[in-house]
Amino acid sequence: MPPPQRLTMLNDDARMRVIVTGGLGFIGSVTALRFNAAGNSVLVVDSVESNVVSAIDLRAVGIEVIEDSVANYLAACGTIEADLVVHAASPVGAAGVLRHPFGIAEHIVGATAAVGKACLAAGARLCHISSSEVYGLDGVLSERTSPRVPVEHSARVEYALGKLTSEAVLAGLARRGLKHSCLRPFNVVGARQSRFGGFVLPTFVQQALAGLPITVFSDGGQTRAFLDVEDLVDFIVAAASSQHAFQSACFNVGNPANSCSILELAQRTRVLLCSSSQIEFVDATEIYGPDYVEGASRHKLCHVERALALGWRPHRSLDEIIRAVAEHYRVRRDMRNSDARDNHALPARHSPAR
Ligand code: UDP
């Protein structure tokens, strides 16, 4: 098995032109910064709907930023010039997707198909950030598991179907020559992730730091495997330099070593941060409204042998991640939710940020 690959400074010949869609968001910004730090030329395209960094932050380190939707950008430029496109632009989060009812699948598929066609025309490789939501199933999920997303309506189902259909569209483009891979990340977490989309870790950490009740949904017995965002970007980088990754394979990217129940996560967060917060069992619909639905997988755990075969390894433990998120939010407010002390200042009850 090859050793784990970390992106190092490239010489001029090996410099790549990398486009990161959604590059002001949580996963996209870490990706853009990493490729930039390694000496590549990076262009970010982001609609600034769920950004966690500003264009100013990225321009300050030499990243070019276009503040527009992927569809508008591609329509305006006609053709792209890139060696690699990382398509991370997408509505995100169980609460975040509630802001786009009845348009979310169309939005995801439309943007992904346009990016896929642009990559095919330009001969660029495409790393598509799909989702572990495509499985729609419970338990330990491997790429050999057949996805079974239910045909019923919720914004969450629309999201999963949008991601699954996008994978199908890209597989079709691959038959015409597109070189791409689809990543199915499992519960990515880390500093800068916003609680705005409803994500559990930034919510628990900000609640614990503020001494507010930690809101565990249902009985907290649901389990997840948490992957540090830097580990995810390690995988993107490893894939970018692999001969095999762009042969239209899907990869689960997750960290089985960081599996735990949500109640356990609340307890660990409380203890690690020496917080006086109480743990409160709440019905999520009381916070996010009646349209909020839990994931189809009560136990969403990952089989990652295919990703490991590329030489990649996740490194960061859950405790390290909790501390890093806390370090971030001790000195900063959540970029998407300016009053983190207000436990109910949450997106479903507020008009969109823009
Ligand atoms: N969760 C919770 N309290 C919160 C937010 C989330 O108990 O304030 C739970 C949620 O019910 C889910 C898990 O944490 O079972 C992970 O939620 P997240 O939205 O981060 O990711 P998901 O796996 O649902 O996509």
Side-chain angles (χ1 to χ4, degrees), residues 191-193 209 323-333:
R192 284 210 297 261
Q193 186 178 36
L209 289 175
R323 287 200 186 94
V325 175
E327 202 173 300
H328 181 80
Y329 283 119
R330 239 182 220 120
V331 293
R332 289 176 200 85
R333 291 205 162 180

Side-chain angles (χ1 to χ4, degrees), residues 61 74 76 82 110 150 225 242 254 306 313 321 337:
V61 295
L74 292 175
S242 151
R306 197 179 280 176
R313 299 283 177 278
I321 301 169
N337 183 10

Side-chain angles (χ1 to χ4, degrees), residues 93-95 131-133 156 159 186-189 193 195 197-204 207 214-226 261-263 265-266 280 282 284 287-288 292-298 300 343 346:
S131 170
S132 52
E133 291 279 302
R156 190 161 193 149
Y159 172 84
F186 283 69
N187 290 83
V188 184
V189 286
Q193 186 178 36
R195 67 183 289 189
F199 296 108
V200 67
L201 192 57
T203 305
F204 283 4
Q207 288 167 334
I214 298 179
T215 53
V216 170
F217 296 163
S218 103
D219 63 0
Q222 62 273 38
T223 49
R224 296 290 186 272
F226 294 96
S261 76
I262 296 304
L263 178 56
L265 180 72
E280 202 174 82
V282 297
I287 296 175
Y288 292 114
Y292 180 94
V293 293
E294 268 293 318
S297 324
R298 178 164 165 83
K300 187 157 76 171
N343 197 29
L346 293 162

